[in-house]
Amino acid sequence: MKTKEIVCPMKVWGFDELPATAAGLVAEARQATFRSYSPYSHFRVGAAILLDNGEIVTGANQENVAYPSSLCAERTACYYAHARYPEAKFETIAIAARGTDGEFVDDPIPPCGACRQALLEYETLAGHDVKVFLAGRDCVYELPSVRSLLPLSFSEF
Ligand code: THU
């Protein structure tokens, strides 16, 4: 029997030390939380995707009275980005959230499993790592790739 260990490397940035491009994308993700439609959970999530054509596409979670019909911010953003710019490759994604008190969450919110799987598809299409920034109130996690967030992923059959 062998054992294997999978690590999830990440950088933890203080807000003030974040490089300008990342800070700009995090700001867009934070702004997107104000466009969340979340009358049921009151949990507002925003995502911003930087494409290789220089465009930034944002999305926010969209809820529905039939709860399972709702969609997370990350998938709203990535599906819209690829529908709008099908030729463009994803470069970076930033995600932010505000809790039920309306304040930005203390600790960064990682994307749910379904969003990781959806984002992985666009990382594969891009042919290179897509950096992920997860914004908390005072710190930002930087993950080197979507793949690093979804080890042992289902990618081919
Ligand atoms: N949500 C997201 O938008 N992204 C995630 O990765 C996790 C959860 C949304 C879904 C729902 O509208 C609300 O947050 C509460 O779960």
Side-chain angles (χ1 to χ4, degrees):
M1 192 269 281
K2 291 180 189 165
T3 59
K4 269 187 168 184
E5 196 173 331
I6 297 172
V7 293
C8 181
M10 64 174 111
K11 295 177 185 167
V12 181
W13 296 90
F15 240 101
D16 300 340
E17 53 179 0
L18 203 59
T21 313
L25 204 61
V26 165
E28 294 273 1
R30 285 184 141 198
Q31 270 308 113
T33 66
F34 291 93
R35 299 189 287 276
S36 158
Y37 176 65
S38 40
Y40 306 106
S41 73
H42 303 283
F43 191 74
R44 299 129 176 127
V45 185
I49 298 170
L50 173 65
L51 302 172
D52 72 347
N53 63 6
E55 296 287 341
I56 291 175
V57 174
T58 63
N61 54 327
Q62 303 293 310
E63 297 186 349
N64 189 276
V65 64
Y67 297 171
S69 305
S70 306
L71 197 65
C72 294
E74 296 88 331
R75 272 176 289 162
T76 304
C78 73
Y79 292 156
Y80 176 53
H82 200 248
R84 177 73 181 82
Y85 301 107
E87 305 302 330
K89 294 177 175 171
F90 287 25
E91 293 290 337
T92 313
I93 178 164
I95 299 159
R98 287 186 299 122
T100 49
D101 60 0
E103 301 296 325
F104 287 107
V105 292
D106 286 346
D107 295 322
I109 292 295
C112 76
C115 288
R116 294 177 199 208
Q117 182 72 41
L119 289 168
L120 184 65
E121 186 91 10
Y122 298 106
E123 181 170 82
T124 305
L125 280 179
H128 58 239
D129 288 352
V130 173
K131 269 191 190 168
V132 182
F133 289 92
L134 306 175
R137 199 178 50 201
D138 302 317
C139 74
V140 177
Y141 296 166
E142 176 186 337
L143 288 303
S145 61
V146 175
R147 199 165 24 96
S148 68
L149 265 173
L150 191 62
L152 299 180
S153 56
F154 177 72
S155 57
E156 277 179 18
F157 56 90

